[in-house]
Structure formats: C-alpha cells, structure tokens
Amino acid sequence: MGGECVYVGRATSLRTRLSSHRSGSRDLSRSTLRASVAAQELGVPRGAARQRPSVMTAEQIAAVTAWFSAASVTWIECMTQVEAKALEDRLLGSQRPPLNLV
C-alpha cells in the first residue's frame, strides 16, 4: 500500500461506511471491500470470502483487519450526490484502483 489508490468509493455517511470496512467481524459478506482484500492479499476466492456463514479462519480475518489498520484513508467532500458520482467515475477511470470491482 505504498501510497497508491487501491479503492474509490462514495458514501453519505463516511463514519458508517468506514466502520463496516474496518470491523474485525468474521462476516466479510457485508463488505465487498473486505472480501476484495481477502482475495487480493490472501488468494481467497471472492465467493468464499463473501460466503455466509463465513469459512474464513481467525488468522485470515486477522490478516484482513491488519491490512485495514495499516491503510490510510483520504476523502474529498462533495456538495451533491451528482457531484460525488461524477468524481467517483473520474477517479475510477484515472486511478484504476485494484480493489474496485468494475
């Protein structure tokens, strides 16, 4: 994660959105981003990472949680949902973040 953009998203409540991604829960099915981290960092198939009940081990969940603990978050505030969507689309096109599913 050497400072590169790995994910682009938008939310009306950043606190709620980040808490779902940074939770230490074994249930990765509630966060596509956490499942994507498991797939990229651990080689776990996304379908297995999103499965309910979880088939992830405590060690795998700890590795995903540690990845999020080490990650830094940057955000840009937008005045409207339309502006936020347009910015998200531009950033997805220019940054090509590896954890976004396109």
Side-chain angles (χ1 to χ4, degrees), residues 12-13 15 23 27-28 30 40 46-47 54 64 72 78 94 96 99-101:
T12 54
S13 171
R15 180 182 306 234
S23 89
D27 183 4
L28 300 187
R30 299 191 187 281
Q40 179 175 302
R46 283 195 74 259
S54 179
V64 170
S72 61
C78 297
S94 65
R96 299 266 195 212
L99 295 178
N100 280 89
L101 304 174

Side-chain angles (χ1 to χ4, degrees), residues 40-92:
Q40 179 175 302
E41 298 296 311
L42 305 174
V44 175
R46 283 195 74 259
R50 301 258 345 211
Q51 187 174 326
R52 290 180 85 182
S54 179
V55 296
M56 302 286 292
T57 67
E59 293 80 19
Q60 290 171 319
I61 297 299
V64 170
T65 301
W67 186 94
F68 276 98
S69 294
S72 61
V73 177
T74 303
W75 63 89
I76 301 168
E77 291 187 40
C78 297
M79 298 303 290
T80 67
Q81 288 292 324
V82 172
E83 181 185 351
K85 176 65 173 142
L87 176 61
E88 180 185 40
D89 290 344
R90 280 195 311 274
L91 290 173
L92 286 172

